[in-house]
């Protein structure tokens, strides 16, 4: 057996499969699923020696950046976050990707990285390297550079392996840490400051982002220009001449003084005669196809993974000299829509594009495989159609037309009329969205130099200047690119973020971005306190420094330290200084003028406050809250469910009335004490403690009183659940068991009338014994037993995930009170339950 074993890693499972099909001899390989993602194996040669190949993948970034547990609380001073330690954690620990890669690396001698060829891909390369480093020498780590999923491009990449670029990876690390610290610090401060004061903000989080906020600022700036616009009246001479009534353009354009306009009009009236790149794709999708930038990116990546187009996240608009245009045209020559045009280009020659810029990353987006409309449906086909037609048009002959300009003089005033005629449609034959000219409607063929023409109509037309329109997504993308806000890959993300945060709304077929009150007030507030917080200049400067890190001309630590220090001072100025409190108050005034204070927000009385014994108002706008106007206190509640009063029962700890949270008849439900939920009364409990987590020994709604057994998912080998099944008495008469940590829900059958916990009895498997009583029409005696071990008890349950059907869980079918092997209660918790019961 060969000692050369090559582990290859792609960015997505589908890409690993496509690359394996192109690299394996005759496309033959064996696929197994031994870990988190599929593994494709075959025999071949590597560095001129026999080798075993193993191709697997990650699913994007393996790690995400976050603060340590000490700084993950909203209670600490956000200013501390600028100097806080950060850690990298698995983005999806349930997949166990790190263990998957480590296991494969143990049996490999070489590592070849097939991640996307951009900075983010380079960063993922070093995430994979850090996992495999204990088992594979760094000298045996290689990087494949490719731009398309084609046999030619992939084989070329395999034959010219290089090394990953650590500087580009460090640039991504710097951006991630900067965005995390700055974004979280400002977000926590302003969310806590304003959310507790106003009831109709309709936002769970009032976020700030170094890219997100300047993006929003562009939209608000246009809104302010529209709102502040004052229309001005103007006058112009509207003149038509000749039998065909050709419209003439007055060279003076507009006159903003009526008397002067009338003077010029009279002079004419008195006269008797007259003498004769990736970003471009995003912009087009939004403006021409009505597809959002984020959706456009998703579709383009899917087409790339399927091998239909080259790598989409490219900033290059110039084809390299060695780009094989003939191969692409030959591939498309049989297409029913543009194949004939491709054949003509191959036969008669084409114009190789000479313009554009070469960033050096990837060639412009081009089709790599022919596709038909019935093969790609909906927006996927529309985007592929645009990319293919754009490529063919870029090498087609130019659109040619002749324009004739006829000048007229009437009473000393000069006018002109333009008319155009297309002589060769060129690239417009395939790029059908391009208009030929703007002057096709004027026929100037009947005019000759020196002609005297008759004035058909003349009038002094009055009009008013109009305000600019709201930005379209295409306009915003152009502004972001021009000002260096975000990268080609992140621009769609930032636009999507300001929409999801309810800062702007996309309206109409033109996809125009209209700021909401919240977005407007936020930007106006930043402008009052520190305009640089919302201007694009700061982020543009940082992007330039990140480029220097990527090129090895600046150090990661130096750049990060400089910008974090700058924003820490801005944050301190924003929040701390006594003189600035007046400005913070003025920002607060903007919110107060736009949004309603909590006390004035419409809501309905729901439950009584444990402090003043008066009713608290339930505010259903996100985030859900209870507000006590007497105490001026606000209590947050869980999201994405229904809230109602729970039988006017009170918490034994603080005397607050309990409310019931439910996700529906097929979902989970549990009581909540509003005060305990926001201020946990026990040590080591985080904010958000509901009654189904409460260890109170006497409360009839606590976890201790209603816990039945460990969650069935606790026996999973990967990511076992740490929760317990709780008897949900709130669901009666349809009794349920639900996990207090995951979304397992198990309902008793309809014939069950009552379920009672036998407090003094435990099964040998450590589950609590239940007594089940049946409805009168069943004529059945009550039964007692363990739901995990007793066949009769188990048959009364129908287990499923909340809102999702899954296989039933069940214990061994056997005699009553016979335990089963498996995970048991924590011994300390078991003793606690026994002592409390």
């Amino acid at each position: 057996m060969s000692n050369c074993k090559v582990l290859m890693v792609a960015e997505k499972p589908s890409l690993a499969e496509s690359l394996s099909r192109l690299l394996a001899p005759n496309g033959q390989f064996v696929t197994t699923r031994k870990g988190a993602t599929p593994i494709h194996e075959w025999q071949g040669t590597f560095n001129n020696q026999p080798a075993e190949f193993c191709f697997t993948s990650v699913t994007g970034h393996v790690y995400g950046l976050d603060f340590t547990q000490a700084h993950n609380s909203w209670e600490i001073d956000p200013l501390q976050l600028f100097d806080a330690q950060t850690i990298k954690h698995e983005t999806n620990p349930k997949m166990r990707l790190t263990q998957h890669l480590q296991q494969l690396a143990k049996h490999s001698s070489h590592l070849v990285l097939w991640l996307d060829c951009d900075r983010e891909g380079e960063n993922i390369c070093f995430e994979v390297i850090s996992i495999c480093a204990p088992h594979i020498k760094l000298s045996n780590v290689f990087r494949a550079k490719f731009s398309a999923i084609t046999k030619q491009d992939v084989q070329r990449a395999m034959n010219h392996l290089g090394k990953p670029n650590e500087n580009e990876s460090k640039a991504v690390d710097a951006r991630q840490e900067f965005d995390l610290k700055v974004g979280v610090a400002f977000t926590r401060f302003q969310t806590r400051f304003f959310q507790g004061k106003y009831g109709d903000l309709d936002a769970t989080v009032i976020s700030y982002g170094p890219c997100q906020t300047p993006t929003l600022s562009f939209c608000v700036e246009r809104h302010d220009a529209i709102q502040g616009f004052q229309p001005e009246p103007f006058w112009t001479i509207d003149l038509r001449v000749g039998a065909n009534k050709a419209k003439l353009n007055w060279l003076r354009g507009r006159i903003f003084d009526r008397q002067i306009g009338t003077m010029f009009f009279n002079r004419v009236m008195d006269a008797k005669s007259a003498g004769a790149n990736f970003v471009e794709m995003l912009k087009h999708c939004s403006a021409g196809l009505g597809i959002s930038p984020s959706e456009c990116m998703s579709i383009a990546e899917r087409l790339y993974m399927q091998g239909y187009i080259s790598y989409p996240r490219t900033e290059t608009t110039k084809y390299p000299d060695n780009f094989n245009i003939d191969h692409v045209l030959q591939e498309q020559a049989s297409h029913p829509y543009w194949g004939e045009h491709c054949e003509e280009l191959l036969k008669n020659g084409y114009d190789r594009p000479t313009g554009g810029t070469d960033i050096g990353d990837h060639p412009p987006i081009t089709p790599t495989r022919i596709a038909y409309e019935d093969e790609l449906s909906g927006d996927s086909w529309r985007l592929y159609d645009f990319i293919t037609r754009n490529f063919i048009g870029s090498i087609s002959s130019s659109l040619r037309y002749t324009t004739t300009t006829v000048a007229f003089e009437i009473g000393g005033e000069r006018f002109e009329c333009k008319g155009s005629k297309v002589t060769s449609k060129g690239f417009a034959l395939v790029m059908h969205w391009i208009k030929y000219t703007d002057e096709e409607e004027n026929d100037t063929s009947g005019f000759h130099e020196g002609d005297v023409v008759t004035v058909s109509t003349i009038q002094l037309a009055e009009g008013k200047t109009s305000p600019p329109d709201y930005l379209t997504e295409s306009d915003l993308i152009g502004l972001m690119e021009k000002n260096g806000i975000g990268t080609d890959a992140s621009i769609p993300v930032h636009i999507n973020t300001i929409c999801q945060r309810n800062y702007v709304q996309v309206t109409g077929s033109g996809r125009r971005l209209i700021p909401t009150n919240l977005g407007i007030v936020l930007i106006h507030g930043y402008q009052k306190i520190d305009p640089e917080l919302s201007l694009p200049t700061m982020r543009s400067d940082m992007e330039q420094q990140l480029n220097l890190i990527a090129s090895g001309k600046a150090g990661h630590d130096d750049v990060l330290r400089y910008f974090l220090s700058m924003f820490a001072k801005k944050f301190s100025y924003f929040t701390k200084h006594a003189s600035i409190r007046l400005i913070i108050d003025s920002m607060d005034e903007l919110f107060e003028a736009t949004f309603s204070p909590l006390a004035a927000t419409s809501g309905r009385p729901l439950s009584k406050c444990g402090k003043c014994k008066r009713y608290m108002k339930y505010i259903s706008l996100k985030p859900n809250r209870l507000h006590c106007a007497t105490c001026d206190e606000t209590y947050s509640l869980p999201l994405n469910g229904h809230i109602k009063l729970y039988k006017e029962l009170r918490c034994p700890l603080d005397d607050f009335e309990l409310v019931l949270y439910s996700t529906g008849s097929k979902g989970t439900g549990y009581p909540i004490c509003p005060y305990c939920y926001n201020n946990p009364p026990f040590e080591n409990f985080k904010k958000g403690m509901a009654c189904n987590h409460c260890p109170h020994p006497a409360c009839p709604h606590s976890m201790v009183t209603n816990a039945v057994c460990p969650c069935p998912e606790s026996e999973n080998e990967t990511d076992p659940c740490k929760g317990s099944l709780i008897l949900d008495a709130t669901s009666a008469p349809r009794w349920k068991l639900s996990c207090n940590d995951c979304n397992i829900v198990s309902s008793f059958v309809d014939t069950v009338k009552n379920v009672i916990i036998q407090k003094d009895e435990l099964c040998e498997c450590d589950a609590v014994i239940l007594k089940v009583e049946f409805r009168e029409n069943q004529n059945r005696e009550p039964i007692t037993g363990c739901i995990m071990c007793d066949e009769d008890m188990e048959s009364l349950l129908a287990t499923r995930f909340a809102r999702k059907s899954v296989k039933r869980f069940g214990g061994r079918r056997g005699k009553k009170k016979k335990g089963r092997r498996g995970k048991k209660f924590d011994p300390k918790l078991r003793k606690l339950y026994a002592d409390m019961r």
Side-chain angles (χ1 to χ4, degrees):
M1 185 177 288
S2 170
N3 291 325
C4 183
K5 297 181 179 179
V6 184
L7 171 62
M8 302 202 285
V9 182
E11 192 156 321
K12 292 181 175 65
S14 58
L15 186 58
E17 183 178 359
S18 298
L19 291 171
S20 298
R21 190 171 289 109
L22 296 173
L23 289 170
N26 300 318
Q28 301 297 314
F29 53 88
V30 177
T31 299
T32 56
R33 181 145 193 163
K34 302 175 183 176
T37 55
I39 302 168
H40 312 293
E41 297 175 292
W42 69 88
Q43 302 281 339
T45 58
F46 184 77
N47 289 339
N48 297 320
Q49 60 176 316
E52 297 177 15
F53 289 90
C54 174
F55 210 139
T56 189
S57 73
V58 292
T59 54
H61 277 283
V62 182
Y63 296 111
L65 193 68
D66 201 354
F67 294 108
T68 59
Q69 189 172 0
H71 291 90
N72 246 334
S73 170
W74 281 57
E75 304 302 322
I76 67 168
D77 182 359
L79 185 60
Q80 298 179 20
L81 299 179
F82 289 93
D83 298 318
Q85 286 188 340
T86 58
I87 56 172
K88 288 198 172 186
H89 59 85
E90 282 191 68
T91 54
N92 192 348
K94 291 184 178 181
M95 288 191 67
R96 299 174 64 89
L97 259 175
T98 55
Q99 294 90 329
H100 174 63
L101 293 175
Q102 286 172 353
Q103 190 64 32
L104 294 175
K106 285 180 182 179
H107 308 287
S108 303
S109 58
H110 295 75
L111 175 64
V112 180
L113 300 160
W114 290 84
L115 287 307
D116 287 352
C117 299
D118 55 14
R119 286 186 190 172
E120 294 294 333
E122 220 64 28
N123 190 255
I124 301 174
C125 279
F126 282 89
E127 292 176 354
V128 175
I129 291 172
S130 68
I131 296 170
C132 300
H135 309 289
I136 300 177
K137 298 178 182 178
L138 289 178
S139 59
N140 288 344
V141 176
F142 300 96
R143 177 74 159 104
K145 295 279 188 177
F146 59 104
S147 299
I149 316 299
T150 63
K151 182 76 173 178
Q152 182 182 14
D153 208 62
V154 170
Q155 200 59 55
R156 185 189 304 116
M158 190 66 183
N159 294 336
H160 298 84
L161 295 175
K163 291 291 183 178
N165 189 329
E166 189 172 9
N167 289 327
E168 289 190 354
S169 176
K170 286 182 176 179
V172 175
D173 287 336
R175 176 184 54 74
Q176 287 178 344
E177 185 171 346
F178 174 81
D179 287 351
L180 173 71
K181 291 183 174 181
V182 173
V184 172
F186 278 91
T187 296
R188 286 184 183 177
F189 172 77
Q190 61 192 27
T191 299
R192 295 185 64 185
F193 187 88
F194 293 111
Q195 200 177 70
K197 301 185 70 174
Y198 303 100
D200 53 351
L201 286 178
D202 197 20
T204 306
V205 175
I206 305 174
S207 62
Y208 175 90
C211 283
Q212 161 197 318
T213 302
T215 301
L216 172 62
S217 181
F218 289 130
C219 301
V220 175
E221 184 180 346
R222 177 59 63 87
H223 169 83
D224 292 342
I226 294 171
Q227 296 300 311
F229 182 81
Q230 295 294 330
E232 272 188 275
F234 65 84
W235 291 264
T236 186
I237 296 176
D238 187 351
L239 183 66
R240 294 180 180 272
V241 300
N244 59 355
K245 295 185 178 182
K247 183 177 180 180
L248 306 188
N249 296 319
W250 188 26
L251 295 188
R252 290 187 187 273
R254 299 172 175 180
I255 297 297
F256 290 89
D257 188 303
R258 182 181 179 88
Q259 291 183 342
I260 296 176
T262 303
M263 179 193 71
F264 285 122
F265 177 74
N266 291 334
R267 287 174 58 180
V268 174
M269 284 290 292
D270 294 341
K272 301 298 182 184
S273 63
N277 57 35
F278 173 79
V279 169
E280 291 303 319
M281 179 184 70
L282 294 178
K283 291 164 71 175
H284 177 82
C285 277
S286 177
L289 303 180
I291 302 173
S292 70
S294 58
E295 180 65 17
C296 173
M297 170 58 78
S298 298
I299 295 171
E301 288 186 338
R302 188 161 59 247
L303 291 174
Y304 164 66
M305 295 292 183
Q306 294 170 342
Y308 289 111
I309 65 172
S310 61
Y311 188 69
R313 294 201 298 266
T314 176
E315 298 179 39
T316 295
T317 56
K318 181 181 180 180
Y319 292 100
D321 294 336
N322 62 350
F323 187 83
N324 193 340
I325 293 178
D326 283 3
H327 177 74
V328 182
L329 288 175
Q330 290 164 1
E331 176 74 18
Q332 299 292 334
S334 60
H335 202 282
Y337 293 169
W338 48 73
E340 187 176 338
H341 192 82
C342 293
E343 288 180 347
E344 289 183 7
L345 291 175
L346 288 168
K347 180 180 178 181
N348 302 324
Y350 48 80
D351 299 331
R352 193 176 188 91
T354 57
T357 56
D358 187 357
I359 306 299
D361 52 354
H362 298 274
I365 307 173
T366 56
T368 56
R369 192 172 106 200
I370 192 170
Y372 302 96
E373 190 169 3
D374 58 352
E375 185 178 348
L376 297 173
S377 59
D379 290 340
S380 294
W381 164 253
R382 296 168 68 207
L383 181 56
Y384 178 84
D385 178 83
F386 162 70
I387 291 171
T388 306
R389 290 180 182 276
N390 189 74
F391 166 75
I392 298 171
S394 70
I395 59 175
S396 299
S397 59
S398 301
L399 168 65
R400 293 183 175 88
Y401 57 90
T402 59
T403 299
T404 303
T405 302
V406 183
F408 300 83
E409 183 174 325
I410 307 176
E413 289 303 303
R414 293 181 61 83
F415 297 82
E416 68 175 21
C417 175
K418 289 185 177 180
S420 300
K421 183 178 180 181
V422 175
T423 59
S424 174
K425 292 183 179 180
F427 58 76
L429 282 170
V430 286
M431 302 172 74
H432 51 72
W433 57 88
I434 295 181
K435 286 184 65 176
Y436 297 158
T437 67
D438 292 326
E439 291 87 26
E440 290 181 34
E441 66 276 5
N442 287 330
D443 182 10
T444 58
S445 60
F447 297 113
H448 302 89
E449 187 173 359
D451 283 355
V452 176
V453 295
T454 304
V455 176
S456 302
T457 61
I458 180 173
Q459 62 176 343
L460 183 63
E462 181 180 356
K464 286 187 177 182
T465 55
S466 57
D469 209 339
Y470 283 100
L471 294 176
T472 63
E473 285 177 328
S474 179
D475 297 333
L476 183 57
I477 291 168
L479 286 171
M480 294 174 71
E481 182 188 26
K482 178 181 178 182
N483 290 273
I485 301 299
T487 63
D488 54 352
S490 65
I491 283 175
V493 177
H494 300 314
I495 296 176
N496 191 50
T497 298
I498 63 174
C499 294
Q500 289 184 335
R501 296 288 191 226
N502 196 31
Y503 296 156
V504 300
Q505 293 179 342
V506 181
T507 62
S509 58
R511 301 190 64 82
R512 296 195 177 274
L513 300 164
I514 301 179
T516 62
N517 288 336
L518 179 57
I520 294 167
V521 170
L522 271 178
I523 295 300
H524 288 176
Y526 296 138
Q527 291 170 348
K528 277 179 172 286
I529 299 174
D530 185 350
E532 286 190 337
L533 289 175
S534 61
L535 291 176
T537 51
M538 295 286 291
R539 185 62 186 201
S540 180
D541 291 344
M542 184 176 183
E543 290 292 345
Q544 293 178 15
Q545 294 299 314
L546 292 178
N547 290 336
L548 293 179
I549 295 176
S551 61
K553 297 177 181 178
H556 164 278
D557 295 340
D558 295 336
V559 171
L560 186 60
R561 190 183 307 112
Y562 171 76
F563 280 100
L564 283 176
S565 173
M566 179 190 301
F567 268 82
K569 292 175 183 176
K570 286 183 174 294
F571 181 84
S572 181
Y573 181 82
F574 187 79
T575 60
K576 294 281 186 179
H577 288 223
S579 60
I580 299 306
R581 295 308 301 178
L582 295 175
I583 304 179
I584 287 286
D585 291 341
S586 69
M587 186 175 183
D588 193 20
E589 288 173 5
L590 290 174
F591 273 79
E592 189 171 348
T594 307
F595 302 104
S596 304
L598 279 171
T601 302
S602 61
R604 59 184 175 88
L606 183 67
S607 63
K608 287 184 179 180
C609 171
K611 297 178 180 179
C612 66
K613 312 306 179 193
R614 296 180 181 272
Y615 277 103
M616 296 186 292
K617 186 189 301 181
Y618 173 57
I619 299 167
S620 58
L621 294 172
K622 289 185 178 181
N624 304 339
R625 288 159 286 176
L626 284 170
H627 178 68
C628 179
T630 304
C631 303
D632 195 22
E633 293 283 351
T634 304
Y635 304 97
S636 61
L637 297 171
L639 299 174
N640 305 320
H642 306 288
I643 299 290
K644 63 181 181 180
L645 184 64
Y646 184 49
K647 301 179 181 179
E648 298 184 352
L649 299 173
R650 295 177 180 269
C651 175
L653 293 173
D654 48 49
D655 211 30
F656 273 70
E657 281 190 337
L658 302 181
V659 295
L660 176 62
Y661 170 80
S662 172
T663 58
S665 61
K666 296 183 179 180
T668 58
Y670 45 82
I672 294 171
C673 167
Y675 189 84
C676 292
Y677 187 81
N678 290 269
N679 305 280
F682 303 102
E683 292 185 7
N684 301 322
F685 279 81
K686 296 181 180 179
K687 181 177 178 180
M689 185 195 83
C691 295
N692 62 353
H693 281 91
C694 178
H696 193 285
C699 179
H701 311 291
S702 70
M703 174 185 68
V704 171
T705 306
N706 295 293
V708 175
C709 63
C711 175
E713 296 293 314
S714 63
E715 295 186 352
N716 285 354
E717 293 183 3
T718 60
D719 193 33
C721 177
K722 299 178 182 179
S724 300
L725 284 187
I726 309 295
L727 179 63
D728 181 7
T730 67
S731 62
R734 185 68 188 268
W735 292 81
K736 289 188 290 189
L737 296 171
S738 58
C739 178
N740 61 0
D741 197 57
C742 71
N743 58 345
I744 277 280
V745 176
S746 177
S747 298
F748 284 88
V749 295
D750 292 335
T751 56
V752 172
K753 177 182 179 182
N754 198 17
V755 180
I756 305 168
I757 290 180
Q758 305 298 100
K759 295 184 179 181
D760 299 326
E761 297 184 48
L762 286 178
C763 178
E764 292 179 10
C765 71
D766 288 340
V768 174
I769 300 298
L770 298 179
K771 179 181 180 181
V772 175
E773 298 175 347
F774 298 94
R775 298 184 184 278
E776 290 78 2
N777 60 3
Q778 297 300 307
N779 296 319
R780 291 184 64 180
E781 292 294 325
I783 64 172
T784 302
C786 169
I787 63 166
M788 307 295 283
C789 302
D790 292 352
E791 184 176 353
D792 292 341
M793 290 292 291
E794 184 200 9
S795 65
L796 300 177
L797 286 169
T799 303
R800 58 181 175 272
F801 284 107
R803 299 190 181 94
K804 286 186 180 179
S805 296
V806 297
K807 294 181 180 179
R808 301 177 68 242
F809 76 87
R812 276 175 38 197
R813 298 192 180 272
K815 295 183 180 180
K816 190 173 180 179
K817 294 196 177 182
K818 290 292 183 181
R820 68 170 186 175
R821 296 183 183 275
K823 182 173 178 178
K824 300 183 178 182
F825 270 127
D826 185 307
K828 294 181 181 178
L829 191 59
R830 180 184 182 186
K831 184 177 185 302
L832 174 67
Y833 287 176
D835 293 343
M836 289 182 172
R837 288 196 173 101

